[in-house]
Amino acid sequence: MSVKKITMMLLVLAMVGIMVSPLTLASQAEVTGITRSVPANFATGEEIEISLTIEGNAPIMVGLVENIPEGFSFPKKDSDISDAKHFKVDRKTGKIVFSVMDEKEISYKVIAPSSAKGDFTGYWVDLLVQTPELNEGKERWKPVIDPTSSSPNKGMSSFASDQENIPVSTEPKTPGFGAVFSSVAILACLLISKNNLNGGNNK
Amino acid sequence: MKYPALMFGIFILFTGIVLSATAAAAMDSSLPCAGGDGYISEDDLSEAVCDYMLGEGKYSLDDVGDAAYIYKFWDGKPKTITDQHDRKVTFYRPIERIITTNPDNSRMIIALGDLDKMVATDECTRSGCVLYRDINDEKIAVEAWESLQIHDGGQLDNLPETNTRKEIDYETMAILKPDVVIDTLWYSRGDAVEEKVGCPCVDAGAGFTFEEMFDHMQLMGEILDKQERADELENFAQSKIDMVKSVTDQLDESEIPTVYFAPRGAKKGFYDAVEGRDFTRTEAIYEPLTIAGGNNVAKDCTGDNINVGPEQIVVWEPDYIFVAMSTSVEVSGVQFVMDTPELSEIPAVKNNHVYDCFYPYCRGRPIDRSLMNMLYMAKCLHPEEFKDMDLEAEGNEIYKEILGADGVFTALVEYQPFPKQVY
């Protein structure tokens, strides 16, 4: 192999190395949307698969929550629900959550009831978005788009009404000092006022 | 006990002070969502993300977002860098909120594309050291000012001011909860900032050699995870250096004129004991001048603040003199040099080779001005060799690359027209 060919190969390898290096990818990372697909027809008691397609550039790090409609249920065994690498299910509230890492499509299964109320709803948040805002919360969550849903919550436009149901976290990032200091100050005030009411020691 | 209420009040005050100090000094020294081994694994992160999405667990979106970034881009570990004072600075969180204390660092953050992460800065970044103002404090290149928008809207001068030249407002810095303070090199106060503000502090700054400027660029790129952009900037600056060197390296030694450089101008004539704004201050190392094909007569001087006698300048017999002109002065220092009898026998004066040049400082060593001086000095010293160089286009290109704004050089020269004499 000639020196020229080796040099060319090294250059190509270097270019590929730069293109796929984590910090190069950092500037390209952005999830633009997540779309849900629900089968159009299904029978009572049938196990149906819900697919979620993630649009955007790698690397992808997304938190995702899906709420299944009332009446639907999850298969009994967690392993039957999804092949996704990282998910959790809250059967009581009908929620399934995912930690999505560099996957473009994930799915989960639910069992169809004889009658159901409501729609599938879901929200996602791009975890790699960096902003200078402090105490960010659910205002950054975005709705999963469902083109087949009959619900008004099927696109971004319905987010505002649905957002009302998202509890916004208001707790400070590092609680403690304020509460401790306030408690001590209140205690001090009580002690001082008690002393004054008693006439103090210098009566 | 006498005055128990007073004693108790003092105790409470003391407790408050201690608690406040502890809060300020409570620097984050652990990774968010890590499993206790100082490393964020895929399982640690996924557990935290799932709990957060379920509304369970103790982590906020800031926590899981930071953990995701660290897992993806820092291999799940804290990031440690070495600053320009050889201090090891460790980051446990990605940088989303930055405070700078001098314009060189602010300018580099803008050049690297992270202006929207700046939450406060120094008085000179806000005034006229990144973009210019005239002697009446009016903005020069207004469109460029408008184009540099900070994170919640507004221009550079809308950023909160957290330090002046001599004083630093640690309390306001701490309140703003920065992820990093990027401090200047000449105070060596990185450790003090970390202790008082409660976040990592990096000591960083540029110099008058391009190697120092590139070191600064690369360090800033490393801090902000913008190495690729730092490489682009370095390549851009290097291309300008190479363009000039490709000509000046071909010159015979006899064609390299001797030059006296007065970087502080001549506003105060020969002596200014207070601020050093006098003609006798010089720099032993000013690489833009040497690359431009000039032989710095002060190159053998030593020390940081070189102040030579006027007699020495006469003895050096420089062929050319450059007198820096700040935008905050009305009168060019060239007139002082030309009109001063003690300097009248200097070849530069006799041959009318005394020029203004860009003021090379502004609470630092602005890279834009170093590049512009290199090009401008090359045209002054070797007009024939550089006759095809379009100084206005080059100047605008430099500002476009560094600040992302168009027409800055054109606007500057409208206010301070001395470069036009070599167009």
Side-chain angles (χ1 to χ4, degrees):
Chain A
M1 197 180 285
S2 70
V3 175
K4 201 174 170 185
K5 275 185 178 169
I6 293 170
T7 312
M8 282 302 289
M9 278 179 69
L10 287 173
L11 273 172
V12 170
L13 282 173
M15 288 292 286
V16 171
I18 290 167
M19 293 295 284
V20 299
S21 82
L23 293 171
T24 303
L25 295 172
S27 55
Q28 299 167 354
E30 192 189 1
V31 175
T32 52
I34 298 183
T35 308
R36 180 190 309 107
S37 300
V38 182
N41 301 303
F42 45 83
T44 300
E46 188 187 342
E47 211 169 73
I48 60 168
E49 188 168 86
I50 315 297
S51 300
L52 297 157
T53 308
I54 296 143
E55 289 126 40
N57 297 321
I60 289 168
M61 301 287 274
V62 165
L64 198 161
V65 57
E66 281 274 280
N67 302 285
I68 60 173
E70 208 178 308
F72 279 82
S73 60
F74 292 108
K76 279 187 182 155
K77 283 168 70 182
D78 279 4
S79 56
D80 293 336
I81 298 174
S82 179
D83 293 333
K85 211 168 171 190
H86 303 288
F87 73 94
K88 272 189 181 181
V89 177
D90 185 338
R91 292 168 193 277
K92 214 188 301 179
T93 57
K95 283 182 183 180
I96 181 166
V97 296
F98 297 90
S99 172
V100 186
M101 296 186 187
D102 292 331
E103 290 163 281
K104 297 284 261 187
E105 186 153 333
I106 52 171
S107 61
Y108 63 95
K109 286 178 181 149
V110 288
I111 299 165
S114 53
S115 67
K117 224 164 59 177
D119 282 287
F120 286 88
T121 58
Y123 295 92
W124 59 274
V125 59
D126 187 342
L127 299 170
L128 294 180
V129 167
Q130 297 275 292
T131 80
E133 301 303 326
L134 292 169
N135 300 319
E136 286 183 298
K138 292 183 177 173
E139 73 282 353
R140 262 191 51 204
W141 289 24
K142 293 177 180 173
V144 173
I145 295 170
D146 188 343
T148 59
S149 171
S150 59
S151 155
N153 301 332
K154 68 184 203 178
M156 297 286 187
S157 57
S158 63
F159 182 51
S161 61
D162 212 44
Q163 198 179 29
E164 287 165 19
N165 298 324
I166 302 173
V168 175
S169 166
T170 53
E171 73 268 24
K173 214 171 169 185
T174 46
F177 290 125
V180 170
F181 190 55
S182 301
S183 308
V184 174
I186 290 166
L187 190 64
C189 290
L190 285 173
L191 281 170
I192 291 166
S193 59
K194 185 171 178 277
N195 235 353
N196 286 342
L197 286 171
N198 291 339
N201 290 337
N202 300 325
K203 61 183 174 184
Chain B
M1 187 191 281
K2 280 186 176 179
Y3 311 116
L6 179 66
M7 290 300 289
F8 200 78
I10 291 169
F11 168 71
I12 293 300
L13 187 66
F14 179 72
T15 309
I17 291 167
V18 169
L19 285 177
S20 308
T22 313
M27 190 149 79
D28 221 338
S29 58
S30 61
L31 293 171
C33 312
D37 53 0
Y39 168 73
I40 299 170
S41 67
E42 187 173 327
D43 288 342
D44 294 336
L45 177 60
S46 297
E47 185 77 13
V49 171
C50 287
D51 286 349
Y52 168 72
M53 295 309 293
L54 275 175
E56 297 170 355
K58 58 182 178 178
Y59 297 118
S60 65
L61 180 55
D62 287 327
D63 290 327
V64 293
D66 286 355
Y69 185 96
I70 293 164
Y71 172 77
K72 204 71 209 174
F73 302 120
W74 297 357
D75 296 326
K77 296 175 286 190
K79 184 173 83 169
T80 300
I81 58 108
T82 304
D83 76 8
Q84 287 176 281
H85 279 151
D86 281 330
R87 296 168 59 249
K88 298 277 182 205
V89 182
T90 300
F91 296 93
Y92 293 90
R93 296 263 183 176
I95 293 169
E96 294 170 289
R97 296 175 65 82
I98 305 167
I99 294 179
T100 55
T101 65
N102 83 320
D104 283 358
N105 292 325
S106 306
R107 186 180 303 101
M108 199 47 65
I109 285 167
I110 295 167
L112 293 170
D114 274 349
L115 171 62
D116 61 347
K117 292 182 179 173
M118 279 174 63
V119 295
T121 189
D122 65 295
E123 62 173 350
C124 282
T125 295
R126 296 173 75 250
S127 56
C129 279
V130 172
L131 281 168
Y132 297 98
R133 286 179 195 261
D134 65 20
I135 195 163
N136 299 314
D137 210 30
E138 297 293 326
K139 291 171 181 172
I140 298 170
V142 175
E143 285 175 10
W145 278 91
E146 287 166 355
S147 73
L148 294 186
Q149 289 287 305
I150 60 174
H151 78 282
D152 53 359
Q155 301 175 20
L156 279 177
D157 53 345
N158 294 119
L159 282 168
E161 181 179 303
T162 39
N163 69 290
T164 59
R165 180 168 160 191
K166 291 178 180 165
E167 289 180 8
I168 184 163
D169 182 354
Y170 292 111
E171 196 179 346
T172 303
M173 280 186 172
I175 288 168
L176 288 167
K177 295 182 184 293
D179 295 312
V180 65
V181 174
I182 306 180
D183 196 21
T184 179
L185 285 176
W186 52 82
Y187 291 118
S188 296
R189 61 188 172 193
D191 292 342
V193 171
E194 288 191 349
E195 191 187 330
K196 292 176 182 176
V197 181
C199 73
C201 178
V202 177
D203 291 344
F208 277 148
T209 68
F210 284 105
E211 190 183 342
E212 289 169 307
M213 290 179 221
F214 295 159
D215 285 349
H216 178 231
M217 219 175 252
Q218 292 297 338
L219 173 64
M220 297 291 284
E222 191 184 357
I223 297 165
L224 302 175
D225 291 337
K226 291 283 177 80
Q227 284 94 331
E228 197 185 352
R229 174 68 187 137
D231 289 344
E232 272 177 26
L233 279 170
E234 182 173 334
N235 290 339
F236 171 81
Q238 189 62 55
S239 73
K240 299 298 169 197
I241 296 165
D242 291 345
M243 177 178 74
V244 176
K245 272 174 74 76
S246 68
V247 175
T248 56
D249 280 354
Q250 305 304 315
L251 297 170
D252 187 80
E253 207 173 311
S254 62
E255 297 174 284
I256 305 285
T258 54
V259 181
Y260 178 73
F261 177 41
R264 299 275 180 193
K267 183 178 162 186
K268 298 279 183 178
F270 281 137
Y271 304 104
D272 176 18
V274 181
E275 290 285 330
R277 301 285 189 267
D278 55 47
F279 181 66
T280 56
R281 309 277 171 154
T282 190
E283 291 281 350
I285 298 169
Y286 189 63
E287 204 171 22
L289 169 61
T290 47
I291 289 174
N295 179 7
N296 185 354
V297 290
K299 63 181 181 291
D300 296 326
C301 292
T302 54
D304 288 334
N305 293 304
I306 301 166
N307 189 8
V308 296
E311 304 81 6
Q312 178 62 64
I313 300 170
V314 174
V315 169
W316 274 330
E317 297 186 313
D319 299 317
Y320 283 77
I321 292 174
F322 285 109
V323 191
M325 188 176 184
S326 161
T327 54
S328 62
V329 298
E330 276 177 316
V331 182
S332 159
V334 169
Q335 210 52 48
F336 165 79
V337 178
M338 296 301 288
D339 293 347
T340 302
E342 293 95 318
L343 303 174
S344 60
E345 291 305 308
I346 292 176
V349 177
K350 285 204 289 195
N351 297 321
N352 207 18
H353 284 163
V354 183
Y355 292 89
D356 293 299
C357 69
F358 298 102
Y359 202 76
Y361 312 98
C362 207
R363 303 278 165 89
R365 313 281 188 268
I367 186 171
D368 47 336
R369 300 185 193 195
S370 293
L371 288 169
M372 289 191 316
N373 263 342
M374 178 183 73
L375 301 174
Y376 167 77
M377 287 172 172
K379 276 194 90 100
C380 293
L381 298 174
H382 306 287
E384 193 53 36
E385 287 81 353
F386 288 99
K387 67 175 188 297
D388 294 331
M389 185 205 288
D390 183 340
L391 192 60
E392 184 179 13
E394 293 288 344
N396 282 327
E397 191 189 352
I398 288 167
Y399 279 106
K400 179 73 177 170
E401 184 69 25
I402 294 173
L403 300 179
D406 289 312
V408 176
F409 187 85
T410 300
L412 174 64
V413 172
E414 282 308 306
Y415 171 69
Q416 207 171 49
F418 69 80
K420 285 185 178 177
Q421 66 186 307
V422 293
Y423 271 13

